[in-house]
Amino acid sequence: MAEMNYLWTPPAPVSLPVRGTSTRFPVSRLFFVGRNYQAHAREMGTSVDKASMRPVYFTKFAAMLAESGSTAPYPPETRDYHHEVELVVALGAGGFRVSPQQAAGMIYGYACGLDMTRRDLQAAAKAKGNPWDVAKNVEMGAVSSEIVRADGRVLDRGEISLKVNGELRQHGDLADMIWSIPEIIADLSTYYHLQAGDLIYTGTPEGVGPVRPGDHLEGWIEGVGDLRFDIGPAE
Ligand code: MN
């Protein structure tokens, strides 16, 4: 095969470590569920009626991913940068229009993640009916721990929490997710041909709030693992 000639060196593939192995998980796309815990929907001034609604999704570039242990600058153009701790589902197989039963078989593993959010810009976008991109698609604004293999096992309970500077800020249970992991994968697969390497952030429990330069964040999910993330000075 002829060697490709690029104008400049393409970016390195985005990947995450897998616990217990030296092999890395190649990351394809980052999908996020908007509201998946009733208590968080309430704190955002809304509620979710599962019978009449479908999940809300948004995306971030894979290039926005930061590994656990990173320090990210406090981002520009916000005065209200928020933490959202979330269970991350890592897909090891693809699927299109799959059933919830088929969806479980696509699960490679799980990680503990953060969906960092410029809350002030999100509120302004909601008020004007504008897209959320600059509120959500923030450089180093999608954080993930290493991936722990699960091989099709569905997580349907377990504590999820976040501490900032040692103080508990978010605490919930995966059992309180409005849409289950198989339901999310199946629904998302009606819009996209899901593929191995896709990550799905499954929503945050209540207690979201602002971070400041110098803050140290520690996320934890029972049966999955923990995550550390530091906020550096503003650029
Ligand atoms: Mn979120």
Side-chain angles (χ1 to χ4, degrees), residues 25-118:
F25 179 94
V27 174
S28 180
R29 300 174 295 184
L30 310 182
F31 297 100
F32 293 74
V33 179
R35 289 173 308 235
N36 202 28
Y37 292 79
Q38 207 64 257
H40 171 63
R42 273 197 301 275
E43 74 182 350
M44 300 303 290
T46 180
S47 70
V48 176
D49 174 25
K50 188 177 178 182
S52 66
M53 298 165 77
R54 290 178 68 177
V56 170
Y57 304 104
F58 56 91
T59 59
K60 303 189 185 193
F61 304 143
M64 302 314 202
L65 192 63
E67 267 186 48
S68 174
S70 302
T71 300
Y74 191 91
E77 296 297 329
T78 181
R79 300 175 69 92
D80 199 24
Y81 196 43
H82 273 211
H83 55 75
E84 297 188 1
V85 65
E86 309 200 357
L87 173 70
V88 183
V89 182
L91 299 187
F96 180 55
R97 294 179 180 149
V98 298
S99 68
Q101 292 71 27
Q102 293 169 316
M106 294 161 60
I107 299 169
Y108 176 85
Y110 297 100
C112 179
L114 288 169
D115 165 20
M116 299 301 295
T117 303
R118 290 173 170 124

Side-chain angles (χ1 to χ4, degrees), residues 8 12 14 41 49 54 63 69 90 93 126 138 148 166 168 173 175 201-202 206 209 215 218 220 229 235:
W8 49 82
V14 177
D49 174 25
R54 290 178 68 177
K126 283 180 178 175
V138 179
V148 56
L168 189 65
D173 197 291
Y201 285 64
T202 56
E206 66 190 298
D215 280 353
E218 295 168 89
W220 181 72
F229 186 56
E235 287 182 304

